[in-house]
Structures are given as structure tokens and as C-alpha cells.
């Protein structure tokens, strides 16, 4: 029986489990195969989540020789079935699409390598099969920046390394990405009105002033880059996407000083620090999530107290590896042509659990959960801020509850990252800052040991306005969690959560715009371009063109490519 969705999935003394055992609705079919009169084996095809119908695991076992092979397959069209059968002579066949549009893969029970073996040897993250209707996902190594490699080394191999990294973040990265712009009078700014998100609620004394964001890398549909704070501007040549800029000091006093005990007063630096925001109308786009090749990991974080951990098992779900599944760290080729945006995901596993407070004492430290293509990699934990999606394109941001476990089977992607910045109160029909926003330890906001929380941060919120739903990404050049909460509150967000922090690679955001028959990469902050690569004289954008070791979100336009 598959383990449940709460608690540790395996107890000491049980047989070792794999990630396959964590999938509660998996369904397997088996067939007997032969490669000689006395050489009989078995093949198994497991649909890891039939409700999503995207990921499959094919295994081949030959008891006589002890051989075992596994292949992680991705179905590029979840509306089509994938079946397994064996011919009378014992050769194996995969069929996708059914009798009306068959694609058969006859392979490898004799000495000649089959198509799957050849696809494995290609080393491609996604090796196409059946003209791209099916992909073999191969294990690959993702790109890590020098900063990532150094910090990973310190945390894993040097005693006290985490304290050293925290010191570096405090002394070197505090205010490193701070951006400010003086408000000015300007009558040439063209604000997007039709179908745009709701503007921020601002101080009336600054409502007519504009700022010119110094590092905005996205081309807005206006004669000038001068922008009214809190208003939205259409992105040039990319429909249904909007950009806004804001400084927390421009928020209306009724919001900024509402005496909410969960939010701290803003200091003068973060009150003047620019915030860049991008909004997507969710009727037009699907939100998806992809794990990096390395992060977030699945084992234990060292943050929770020892009493919350069990060293006899690999991690909070009983595993510390995704094997036999392959983590590719990049957008599937089946979706690349429809992808309009990518942005970095959440915390690594090391920081994705609680050291202090009530969350540290329950559920083994409340390690952040994540799901990709309907496959549970880490159990979703109650009380944590969660973004999740369904196969039909529904996007929700909410605080996960214990009774929400029933939803898991129908979730395509999900990511948790701490506690909420803005939370919706159903009984009062209103949104307000979360109760843990200014609680450094209990909220697991990261930063220095003396609660010095101001740094570059990214966040995500859901706004419902004018009969539409908008997903809003925010880049905060220098902010505490309180500043994130106040800005998202000013924009009327129903719910908001933090993503990652401390560096441009952790807050990376890029748009892909078709312009004059060329696909142009536009970064939210111009300096983010250093995370991309050059390949044969052309730009190869992060997450879209090569595997990355970090997790990320991406948006695809609905309909045909």
C-alpha cells in the first residue's frame, strides 16, 4: 500500500522505499517478456499519477542475470494513453495514442539495442520518441554558478560554514541590489487601463508623480520608461502581461500604518527601495513548476531540532533521492515554444524547514513540500504558504491545511515556501498580512542571526480584479518581509508568499517576446542576463535552453504554439 500524505512514509526496519512508493494513486501494468527459451523477464509500466497522465516509469527485470533497467517517460499530451504489451514471442511494445494514431516502440530484448537504450545513450535531458509525442527523461547535471558552488561547499564540508555564509550575506549582500529613483512630474506616461490588474492604493500626495526605474529590462508599451508608481503598463508585443513599479513609501497611509501587529514599521531605506512587478492574466496562461537537477533536495534539513528528525531514514518522507526518476532542470521541448516567462523558485531543502517556533516542533520540522507533474517529491505540510495548479489550468495560492490532503491526487504542480505574507480570511471576506510576517525565527524568513532581514527578495501573489485573476511576481530590491506584505497588500492581493532571496540568480525573471520574427529575451532586471549563456553565437536563456540545478516556475500561453 502506498504511504499516506502525512508523517514519515517509512519506518525503521521497513524495506527501503523509493519515490514511486510515495505516489498514492500510481497504477502499474505488467507483461512477461523473453529473450530466449530460458531467459524470461518481466516488464512493468507505472503511471505515477493517472489523474495527470504525464509521467511513467518503465522497468525491465531479468531474474536469471539480475539485470534491472528503468526509464522515466514523459507523455507530452496527457490526453493520450500509454499502454504496454508483449507479443506472443515475448518482445515488448509500448503504444501511445491508441489504434487511431499508434506509435509503437519495439525494443531491446535481444542483442540489438532498442530505441529506449539509444535514447538513454544520447544523454539529452529530453530524448524524443515517437516524433516527440513521448520523451525519455535522462539524468543530467545542472549549471550552478560560482556563488552556488562556494556556498554549497561551505555548508556541506566546512564546520561553521553556514555561519560564515550568513556573515557574507549580511556584510556583502545587504543593500547590494538596492535601487532608488526620485519621484518626478511627467505627463507622458501611458498607463494600461483595459484588462489590466488593479493599481496599487497609493498616497494621494504622490499619485501623479512618476519614477524611472534604472534597471528595468522589459520594454513597456509607452513613449518613455517613466512610470507612475503603482500603475500597470502593457508589455510591448506580449499580450496579457503587465509591468508596474512601486516604492513602499508611496503606499497609502491607511495601509502602511494600520497598526497590524504582525507587520513591522518600514525603515527609511526599504521604504524608498524600488519594487518591480509583472502580472499575468491567468485566463491566458498556464503556470508550471520544474525541479532543478539538484535543488531542492529530498533529504533532511539540518535546521529542525534533533528531536524532529530520524537519522535512520533518508528524509522526512523516507527518501533522499528522486531515483529512479530523472530531474531535468529545464522546460520540456513540448512546451518550449509556448513558454513566455520563467522565474526562480523557492528555498533549497537546507533552508526549507524550521529551526524555531511551532512549525519546527511538528511534522518533523515542516520541510517545505513540492509536487511536479502530479508526482509527490516532498509532502505538502499544513500551515505553509502553497502555490498549486491543476491539469485544467487552475492556479491557487493558499495556506495548506491538513484536510487539503484529498486535493493532492488532482494537483499537477505545487511548491511551498514558508508562511504567508498575505492571507485571505474567508469569514471576514478580506485579506491581511499573515501573523508571522515580522517573526524572524517562527516565520523562517532567513537573514542574519540578529534578525537583520533587509535584502533582495522575490514574492508571488494572486490578485482578483475587474472579473479577472492575475498572478503577480514581485522583485524587491531591498526589503524585509514586512515590506513585501505591505506592497502586496497595497496591490489588493488576495494571497501572497515569498519565493527566494539574496542574489539575482535566486530572483531571476525573464520574458520571451516574439518581435520581428525573432524571440527576444527580456529580463526584469538587466543584470539578470549574466545567468544566461551563449551557444554558437546565440543567447541560450536559463531554464529554457539548458539544465539548471535550481527549481523554477514558468508560464505557457494557452492554445496552439
Amino acid at each position: 500500500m502506498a504511504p499516506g500524505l502525512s508523517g514519515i512514509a517509512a519506518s525503521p526496519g521497513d524495506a527501503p522505499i523509493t519515490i514511486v512508493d510515495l505516489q498514492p494513486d500510481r497504477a502499474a501494468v505488467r507483461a512477461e517478456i523473453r529473450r530466449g527459451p530460458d531467459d524470461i523477464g518481466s516488464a512493468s509500466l507505472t503511471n505515477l499519477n493517472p489523474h495527470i497522465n504525464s509521467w511513467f516509469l518503465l522497468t525491465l527485470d531479468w531474474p536469471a542475470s539480475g539485470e534491472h533497467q528503468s526509464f522515466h517517460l514523459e507523455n507530452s499530451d496527457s490526453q493520450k494513453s500509454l499502454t504496454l504489451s508483449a507479443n506472443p514471442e515475448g518482445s515488448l511494445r509500448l503504444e501511445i495514442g491508441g489504434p487511431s494514431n499508434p506509435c509503437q516502440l519495439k525494443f531491446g530484448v535481444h542483442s540489438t539495442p532498442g530505441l529506449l537504450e539509444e535514447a538513454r545513450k544520447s544523454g539529452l535531458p529530453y530524448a524524443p520518441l515517437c516524433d516527440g509525442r513521448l520523451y525519455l527523461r535522462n539524468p543530467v547535471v545542472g549549471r550552478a554558478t560560482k556563488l552556488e558552488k562556494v556556498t554549497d561547499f561551505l555548508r556541506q564540508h566546512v564546520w561553521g560554514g553556514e555561519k560564515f555564509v550568513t556573515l557574507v550575506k549580511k556584510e556583502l549582500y545587504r543593500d547590494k541590489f538596492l535601487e532608488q529613483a526620485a519621484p518626478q512630474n511627467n505627463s507622458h506616461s501611458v498607463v494600461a487601463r483595459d484588462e489590466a490588474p488593479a493599481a496599487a492604493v497609493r498616497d494621494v500626495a504622490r499619485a501623479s508623480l512618476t519614477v524611472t526605474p534604472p534597471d528595468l529590462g522589459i520594454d513597456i508599451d509607452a513613449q518613455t520608461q517613466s512610470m507612475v508608481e503603482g500603475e500597470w503598463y502593457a508589455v510591448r508585443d506580449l499580450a496579457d502581461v503587465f509591468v508596474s513599479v512601486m516604492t513602499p513609501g508611496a503606499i497609502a497611509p491607511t495601509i502602511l500604518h494600520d497598526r497590524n501587529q504582525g507587520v513591522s514599521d518600514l525603515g527609511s531605506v526599504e521604504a524608498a527601495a524600488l519594487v518591480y512587478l509583472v502580472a499575468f492574466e491567468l485566463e491566458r496562461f498556464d503556470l508550471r513548476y520544474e525541479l532543478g537537477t539538484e535543488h531542492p533536495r529530498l533529504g533532511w534539513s539540518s535546521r529542525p531540532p534533533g528531536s524532529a528528525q530520524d537519522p535512520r531514514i533518508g528524509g522526512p518522507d523516507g527518501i533522499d533521492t528522486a531515483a529512479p526518476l530523472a530531474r531535468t532542470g529545464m522546460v520540456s521541448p513540448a512546451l518550449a515554444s509556448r513558454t513566455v516567462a520563467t522565474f526562480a523558485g523557492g528555498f533549497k531543502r537546507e533552508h526549507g524547514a524550521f529551526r524555531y517556533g511551532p512549525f519546527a516542533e511538528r511534522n518533523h520540522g515542516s520541510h517545505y513540500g513540492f509536487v511536479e507533474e502530479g508526482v509527490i517529491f516532498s509532502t505538502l505540510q499544513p500551515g505553509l504558504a502553497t502555490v498549486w495548479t491543476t491539469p485544467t489550468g487552475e492556479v491557487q495560492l493558499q495556506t495548506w491545511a491538513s484536510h487539503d490532503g484529498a486535493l493532492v491526487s488532482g494537483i499537477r504542480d505545487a511548491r511551498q515556501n514558508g508562511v504567508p505574507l498575505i492571507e485571505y480570511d474567508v469569514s471576514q471576506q478580506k485579506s491581511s498580512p499573515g501573523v508571522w510576517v515580522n517573526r524572524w525565527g517562527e516565520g523562517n524568513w532567513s537573514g542574519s542571526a540578529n534578525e537583520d532581514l533587509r535584502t533582495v527578495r522575490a514574492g508571488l501573489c494572486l490578485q482578483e480584479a475587474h472579473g479577472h485573476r492575475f498572478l503577480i511576481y514581485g522583485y524587491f530590491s531591498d526589503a524585509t518581509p514586512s515590506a513585501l506584505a505591505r506592497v502586496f497588500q497595497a496591490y489588493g492581493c488576495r494571497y501572497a508568499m515569498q519565493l527566494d532571496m539574496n542574489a539575482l540568480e535566486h530572483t531571476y525573471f525573464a520574458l520571451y517576446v516574439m518581435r520581428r520574427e525573432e524571440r527576444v529575451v527580456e529580463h526584469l532586471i538587466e543584470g539578470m542576463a549574466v545567468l544566461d549563456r551563449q551557444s554558437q553565437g546565440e543567447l541560450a536563456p536559463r531554464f529554457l535552453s539548458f539544465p539548471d540545478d535550481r527549481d523554477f516556475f514558468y508560464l505557457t500561453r494557452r492554445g496552439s504554439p
Side-chain angles (χ1 to χ4, degrees):
M1 179 179 296
L5 294 177
S6 62
I8 291 181
S11 59
D14 289 347
I17 67 171
T18 71
I19 194 172
V20 177
D21 299 297
L22 296 181
Q23 313 314 315
D25 298 307
R26 66 187 186 277
V29 293
R30 294 174 176 83
E32 182 180 282
I33 50 178
R34 297 173 180 268
R35 56 184 180 186
D38 300 318
D39 196 358
I40 301 175
S42 64
S44 174
L45 182 68
T46 301
N47 187 334
L48 295 168
N49 187 336
H51 303 285
I52 308 301
N53 197 42
S54 178
W55 281 7
F56 295 77
L57 183 69
L58 175 67
T59 59
L60 307 178
D61 289 285
W62 301 98
S65 61
E67 294 177 62
H68 174 82
Q69 289 178 294
S70 62
F71 302 91
H72 181 182
L73 303 174
E74 180 169 305
N75 182 6
S76 61
D77 185 350
S78 61
Q79 300 302 311
K80 295 180 179 178
S81 61
L82 183 63
T83 59
L84 171 120
S85 61
N87 292 329
E89 67 273 16
S91 63
L92 192 62
R93 180 176 65 195
L94 281 176
E95 186 175 283
I96 186 169
S100 62
N101 192 17
C103 174
Q104 298 179 3
L105 295 177
K106 298 179 181 179
F107 60 97
V109 297
H110 299 291
S111 58
T112 303
L115 291 177
L116 280 174
E117 289 91 341
E118 292 177 354
R120 170 65 51 78
K121 291 177 181 178
S122 73
L124 294 172
Y126 295 89
L129 301 163
C130 302
D131 298 321
R133 283 181 279 164
L134 194 67
Y135 288 94
L136 173 65
R137 293 171 61 101
N138 284 316
V140 289
V141 177
R143 193 277 304 268
T145 65
K146 290 182 180 180
L147 173 63
E148 291 288 287
K149 291 180 179 178
V150 170
T151 54
D152 279 350
F153 174 79
L154 291 172
R155 288 167 182 152
Q156 295 176 34
H157 301 291
V158 180
W159 181 86
E162 178 60 32
K163 293 182 180 178
F164 173 73
V165 171
T166 299
L167 176 65
V168 170
K169 286 190 293 191
K170 176 186 175 185
E171 300 301 330
L172 296 184
Y173 288 103
R174 181 181 178 183
D175 301 337
K176 176 179 175 61
F177 302 101
L178 170 65
E179 292 189 26
Q180 296 179 328
Q184 55 191 322
N185 288 301
N186 192 317
S187 60
H188 299 292
S189 185
V190 180
V191 177
R193 295 293 185 187
D194 296 338
E195 308 297 327
V201 180
R202 291 154 292 170
D203 186 343
V204 294
R206 298 176 60 167
S208 62
L209 300 179
T210 65
V211 296
T212 302
D215 290 320
L216 179 63
I218 295 175
D219 190 10
I220 61 173
D221 195 6
Q223 295 179 350
T224 173
Q225 290 289 93
S226 181
M227 305 168 69
V228 176
E229 288 187 83
E231 293 285 357
W232 291 97
Y233 296 79
V235 173
R236 192 182 303 277
D237 300 321
L238 189 58
D240 312 306
V241 184
F242 307 87
V243 174
S244 184
V245 295
M246 184 76 169
T247 55
I251 297 173
T254 54
I255 292 176
L256 203 54
H257 308 298
D258 68 359
R259 299 186 182 278
N260 187 302
Q261 296 299 311
V263 186
S264 298
D265 291 337
L266 305 188
S268 59
V269 175
E270 66 176 333
L274 274 175
V275 180
Y276 296 71
L277 305 102
V278 183
F280 301 86
E281 185 185 335
L282 287 175
E283 295 174 12
R284 310 297 184 185
F285 301 100
D286 285 321
L287 177 69
R288 293 176 176 266
Y289 172 73
E290 183 86 24
L291 271 74
T293 59
E294 181 74 12
H295 300 293
R297 294 173 179 161
L298 309 183
W300 294 104
S301 166
S302 63
R303 297 175 77 83
S307 59
Q309 303 187 44
D310 189 339
R312 295 171 293 178
I313 57 177
D317 288 290
I319 60 174
D320 61 1
T321 175
L325 303 186
R327 299 169 53 158
T328 62
M330 64 180 294
V331 174
S332 169
L335 296 171
S337 63
R338 297 212 305 267
T339 300
V340 299
T342 60
F343 56 91
F347 285 179
K348 294 179 178 179
R349 172 49 60 96
E350 175 61 26
H351 301 108
F354 290 79
R355 178 174 289 159
Y356 309 107
F359 289 104
E361 302 295 335
R362 61 178 184 246
N363 296 319
H364 314 290
S366 300
H367 291 69
Y368 302 173
F370 28 92
V371 177
E372 182 184 343
E373 292 293 346
V375 173
I376 300 167
F377 282 80
S378 184
T379 300
L380 300 177
Q381 298 295 335
L384 301 190
T386 308
V387 53
W388 58 270
T389 69
T390 69
T392 58
E394 180 184 0
V395 177
Q396 288 292 348
L397 273 70
Q398 69 180 71
T399 301
W400 196 253
S402 298
H403 59 77
D404 288 328
L407 300 173
V408 170
S409 294
I411 286 178
R412 182 181 63 200
D413 299 308
R415 179 57 151 112
Q416 295 185 313
N417 212 54
V419 293
L421 292 162
I422 298 291
E423 197 163 16
Y424 184 72
D425 188 327
V426 177
S427 62
Q428 298 187 27
Q429 296 288 297
K430 63 177 292 188
S431 296
S432 58
V435 298
W436 306 102
V437 170
N438 61 358
R439 306 283 290 275
W440 170 67
E442 296 95 326
N444 200 34
W445 295 110
S446 192
S448 67
N450 65 352
E451 305 182 29
D452 191 359
L453 301 178
R454 200 176 71 235
T455 184
V456 58
R457 296 177 184 268
L460 201 63
C461 93
L462 184 65
Q463 184 200 86
E464 297 179 351
H466 314 313
H468 300 281
R469 303 173 77 241
F470 297 93
L471 185 74
I472 299 177
Y473 172 92
Y475 169 89
F476 296 74
S477 65
D478 203 19
T480 65
S482 292
L484 272 70
R486 287 307 193 196
V487 169
F488 283 137
Q489 187 182 9
Y491 277 92
C493 292
R494 178 185 175 93
Y495 194 96
M497 60 187 287
Q498 182 177 250
L499 294 175
D500 212 337
M501 56 188 285
N502 286 331
L504 288 181
E505 54 259 54
H506 304 156
T507 54
Y508 177 94
F509 181 103
L511 291 180
Y512 311 107
V513 184
M514 287 300 300
R515 189 170 293 137
R516 293 184 292 273
E517 300 183 355
E518 291 183 339
R519 204 172 193 190
V520 179
V521 182
E522 296 186 346
H523 300 90
L524 179 56
I525 303 300
E526 290 181 346
M528 293 175 178
V530 300
L531 278 304
D532 296 340
R533 286 177 169 179
Q534 291 290 329
S535 178
Q536 298 178 345
E538 295 185 0
L539 182 68
R542 185 187 189 192
F543 301 135
L544 197 62
S545 298
F546 55 89
D548 198 276
D549 69 331
R550 298 298 299 268
D551 64 324
F552 65 97
F553 293 90
Y554 60 109
L555 288 110
T556 59
R557 188 173 292 278
R558 295 182 180 180
S560 301

